Amino acid sequence: MSNDVRAESGSDCFSEQGSPCAIERGRLIVVCAPSGAGKSSLVEMALARIERVKFSVSYTTRKPRGAERDGVNYFFVSHEEFRALSERDEFLESAEVHGNLYGTHRAHVEEMLAAGFDVLLDIDVQGAEQIRRRTNEAVTIFILPPSRDALERRLLLRNLNNREEIERRLHNAAHEVLLWDKFDYLIINDDLDRAYRQLEAIIIAERCRPGRQAGQVRVVLDTFGGESIDA
């Protein structure tokens, strides 16, 4: 089997005879931050550099910005379409953020997790709290800006919002940063490369938990005679 096929299957576990082990279920990696703190940049870096990671494309009622593409950055839908999805309970989480609706599609996420991929969710603190209540398999990470001034500068430099919108995002950020201790991990993004290395370390460390490697462990144990060697 080629490396490309192995990567796409989500499994890099093979016995000495070359047969694949059972694919271990992936993990939800929830990344939250105030608007402008750099979470989208960090998520993009992780997707480009870490194997077996996929991105959960959210649904939103907001309009596309710049070069954003439907189905790649977001699924852009009307308020009516969003409400219909919500009424059918198709969202793992959903929230209103800065006047727009956002939601994570449950079936899309489940399909990727079952295939053995870790799934990155770029969502807000409301969505993270919903996921905490609904599942215990999520790893939650909060990205904190180094200061309010730094956050304001980043919002101004990206030139996506008018002054009124920036003030609203800063106001919301003042409440969001107080929730930092509700998360499993915290990254202070005062340097993008260092913050990325911390994010990568978290994802790799989570993969090293014994429960995440049961299939590969069984292959190793079989070479020693299996789990019942002393029976």
Side-chain angles (χ1 to χ4, degrees):
M1 183 178 292
S2 71
N3 289 336
D4 290 343
V5 174
R6 293 183 188 184
E8 184 59 31
S9 70
S11 173
D12 54 7
C13 171
F14 286 79
S15 68
E16 292 180 352
Q17 292 73 35
S19 57
C21 308
I23 295 174
E24 303 293 352
R25 182 175 175 83
R27 191 71 175 264
L28 275 175
I29 309 292
V30 176
V31 184
C32 291
S35 178
K39 71 179 184 300
S40 295
S41 296
L42 291 168
V43 166
E44 289 174 5
M45 293 169 74
L47 290 168
R49 301 181 188 184
I50 307 175
E51 64 178 0
R52 292 191 295 119
V53 172
K54 287 198 172 184
F55 180 61
S56 173
V57 180
S58 296
Y59 283 72
T60 184
T61 59
R62 78 160 172 79
K63 301 298 182 184
R65 297 174 184 153
E68 287 182 337
R69 292 182 293 158
D70 184 59
V72 176
N73 304 99
Y74 289 95
F75 292 108
F76 297 99
V77 297
S78 67
H79 280 78
E80 292 74 19
E81 291 172 307
F82 193 98
R83 281 195 292 269
L85 289 164
S86 182
E87 289 170 1
R88 294 196 297 268
D89 196 28
E90 294 190 28
F91 289 132
L92 179 62
E93 61 80 29
S94 62
E96 181 175 345
V97 184
H98 308 306
N100 297 297
L101 300 174
Y102 294 83
T104 299
H105 198 278
R106 187 194 312 272
H108 293 173
V109 170
E110 177 57 34
E111 181 180 355
M112 292 185 286
L113 291 174
F117 292 96
D118 288 331
V119 180
L120 286 173
L121 273 63
D122 176 351
I123 60 177
D124 81 307
V125 294
Q126 300 175 64
E129 179 57 30
Q130 290 179 45
I131 287 178
R132 284 192 202 95
R133 294 198 301 264
R134 295 185 178 188
T135 178
N136 60 3
E137 67 176 327
V139 176
T140 59
I141 306 168
F142 192 72
I143 311 298
L144 190 68
S147 68
R148 185 191 185 281
D149 287 346
L151 185 64
E152 183 174 8
R153 284 195 300 273
R154 292 174 185 178
L155 289 170
L156 289 168
L157 285 171
R158 71 183 193 177
N159 198 31
L160 294 175
N161 309 108
N162 58 37
R163 187 67 219 187
E164 181 181 357
E165 179 65 18
I166 288 173
E167 289 299 331
R168 179 165 63 163
R169 289 169 186 262
L170 290 170
H171 173 78
N172 290 341
H175 297 280
E176 292 168 341
V177 297
L178 298 178
L179 301 175
W180 64 272
D181 59 348
K182 304 294 184 184
F183 291 78
D184 298 316
Y185 296 94
L186 173 70
I187 297 172
I188 298 176
N189 185 17
D190 55 355
D191 178 89
L192 186 62
D193 288 334
R194 179 167 57 239
Y196 168 71
R197 291 195 298 271
Q198 292 174 346
L199 175 61
E200 181 182 59
I202 292 167
I203 294 172
I204 300 305
E206 285 293 329
R207 289 179 176 179
C208 292
R209 292 185 181 275
R212 295 288 311 280
Q213 304 182 81
Q216 297 181 62
V217 169
R218 284 192 291 271
V219 172
V220 175
L221 293 182
D222 285 345
T223 70
F224 287 89
E227 295 178 347
S228 61
I229 189 171
D230 292 327

